[in-house]
Amino acid sequence: MNWTALPIHRPLVDLEELSKDLSASAAWRASYPLRGYRAPMVGIQEDAYALLARNGFTYSSSIYAPAGMPLQKGAMWELPVSSLALFGPASDLSAPRKFSTELLLGGEVPYGSSFMIGLMPNIILHILERELRAGLSPVIIMHPYELVRPEAFVRRLGRDLLAHPLLFPFTLN
């Protein structure tokens, strides 16, 4: 797939691509008091944190890790998107730590992922409740279309699912 042809939400794991994206959005970002960054598809490299700090960001939520594990990354803080470590915490919390088969096979369920929330909402709600009762502060990702169905949802559903089949969980109530 040619990700650069997509207008939005492409992976920005390459430092040069991230730099171009930050430059292109500089004027827009200057209009808002932005402090945090989340890499599209929760995909980031360790060397991106310094670039983000130079561009005024103070924290990122661009890797998966268990709730309550803020990580210092140079001048930046990483507040990871929450995962449930079934076999104990991971020993390596370096980027990239994205949603992958490797993450799942390692016993880590990325429950803060909007994909997982769409796929298993009742289970994820139970995990969230448990984590909150334990005094943790889970970090979750929600997109606007997951909270409020877009206009013309039904008319666009077939076309959107053909183009992006992984959106199916988000069509469920």
Side-chain angles (χ1 to χ4, degrees), residues 9 46 48 51 68 75 83-84 91 95 98 110 131 142 147 149 151:
H9 219 58
E46 281 295 316
L51 176 61
S83 64
L84 180 65
S91 58
K98 58 186 180 177
E131 298 278 74
M142 296 295 293
L147 301 172
R149 285 211 166 135
E151 212 173 289

Side-chain angles (χ1 to χ4, degrees), residues 58-72:
T58 57
Y59 74 92
S60 169
S61 290
S62 299
I63 68 169
Y64 287 105
M69 296 188 77
L71 306 164
Q72 185 79 48

Side-chain angles (χ1 to χ4, degrees), residues 13 21 96 104-105 128 139:
V13 293
D21 196 72
L104 293 169
L105 291 176
L128 282 168
V139 175

Side-chain angles (χ1 to χ4, degrees), residues 84-124:
L84 180 65
L86 300 174
F87 309 128
S91 58
D92 182 13
L93 296 176
S94 299
R97 292 195 94 243
K98 58 186 180 177
F99 194 125
S100 65
T101 305
E102 182 181 354
L103 189 72
L104 293 169
L105 291 176
E108 219 168 313
V109 179
Y111 72 86
S113 157
S114 61
F115 182 76
M116 295 298 282
I117 293 166
L119 196 58
M120 305 183 299
N122 293 333
I123 292 171
I124 301 305

